[in-house]
Amino acid sequence: MYYSREKTMKLAVFDFDSTLMDGETIDFLAKPLGLEKKVASITKEAMAGRLDFFESLVERVSLLKGLEYQKAVDICKDLPLMPGAYQTVQELKKMGYKVVCFSGGFRIGTTPAKEKLGLDADFSNILHEKNGILTGLVGGDMMFGFSKGDMIQRVQAMLGVSVENTLVAGDGANDVSMFPYASKKVAFCAKDVLKKEANIIVDKKDLTQILNHI
């Protein structure tokens, strides 16, 4: 009797905003309300690690109160993907990686991107709506600064993936918690707070640059 030896499972986890997607979802959503600059300034401070992620997320989402939910969905269908996103995901999958997205942003943004890019899964937050209008409330799996580190351990355990066979890529402070659980730690066009923890640094807006380090 012959047994086929299974390939070693590998995992690649990408942040969404300013990593897989070129920009910040919440900034795009704030634009119709005329609050883009206010929201962007809070986002910048949070990604640099100068604000608590949970508190900044709650504050920013509260500013979206009153936006039509369908308008938010429509905006998120057309978010600009980062140059090289398609090619990078395809190449990683050819190498045997399961490719997933972790985002402190929102499922209405990550799920369309998951479908376009062929990701294996997306983990993100939910914008609460009532009667077709955003209430300014948010909930989900990625609410805290430690959430990505918590989730990556759970996904690794479920798939049977080792730290050695894990790659992570992000740009901001809420990605730091993933880095201890990956051998390949990519800071992509990142804030200094993340670069300090990385062993791969890409400063060009081209995700295919990551492939040069694998």
Side-chain angles (χ1 to χ4, degrees):
M1 197 170 190
Y2 295 94
Y3 295 92
S4 62
R5 190 177 176 186
E6 287 188 22
K7 287 183 180 178
T8 303
M9 182 76 77
K10 292 184 279 189
L11 176 66
V13 180
F14 286 85
D15 168 48
F16 184 63
D17 294 305
S18 298
T19 304
L20 278 179
M21 193 270 285
D22 190 1
E24 297 286 328
T25 304
I26 198 159
D27 295 354
F28 285 100
L29 293 174
K31 194 169 184 179
L33 299 170
L35 295 170
E36 185 181 17
K37 286 185 179 178
K38 184 172 183 179
V39 168
S41 68
I42 302 170
T43 301
K44 184 178 178 181
E45 291 296 297
M47 290 305 98
R50 291 189 288 268
L51 289 178
D52 177 80
F53 182 77
F54 172 76
E55 291 172 357
S56 73
L57 178 63
V58 170
E59 181 182 359
R60 286 175 289 157
V61 172
S62 72
L63 295 170
L64 301 180
K65 184 177 180 178
L67 182 66
E68 289 181 21
Y69 179 69
Q70 189 55 51
K71 186 168 186 64
V73 169
D74 291 342
I75 289 168
C76 288
K77 279 179 187 171
D78 293 315
L79 294 172
L81 295 174
M82 189 65 71
Y86 287 102
Q87 299 94 312
T88 302
V89 171
Q90 286 169 4
E91 287 302 314
L92 287 171
K93 292 185 82 115
K94 284 178 190 173
M95 295 178 199
Y97 280 88
K98 292 290 183 186
V99 185
V100 304
C101 168
F102 287 0
S103 177
F106 317 112
R107 199 174 297 174
I108 57 172
T110 60
T111 298
K114 180 191 78 163
E115 291 165 359
K116 288 175 188 174
L117 294 170
L119 303 178
D120 292 291
D122 62 314
F123 298 84
S124 47
N125 297 318
I126 305 291
L127 288 170
H128 186 249
E129 58 91 13
K130 192 172 182 179
N131 301 322
I133 303 293
L134 294 185
T135 64
L137 300 174
V138 61
D141 295 320
M142 294 287 155
M143 293 284 289
F144 302 96
F146 63 79
S147 293
K148 293 183 180 182
D150 180 58
M151 184 61 76
I152 199 169
Q153 293 175 79
R154 294 161 73 185
V155 173
Q156 285 172 324
M158 185 170 62
L159 296 178
V161 180
S162 67
V163 170
E164 183 59 37
N165 290 310
T166 301
L167 174 153
V168 296
D171 73 300
N174 68 322
D175 297 311
V176 171
S177 67
M178 294 194 289
F179 276 31
Y181 307 103
S183 63
K184 298 177 182 69
K185 317 165 201 280
V186 182
F188 181 79
C189 299
K191 308 295 184 292
D192 288 341
V193 66
L194 194 66
K195 283 184 176 181
K196 286 189 286 190
E197 307 296 329
N199 55 19
I200 299 170
I201 294 175
V202 175
D203 283 326
K204 183 181 178 184
K205 272 194 176 185
D206 176 6
L207 280 173
T208 63
Q209 297 290 310
I210 292 171
L211 300 173
N212 298 330
H213 299 275
I214 300 172

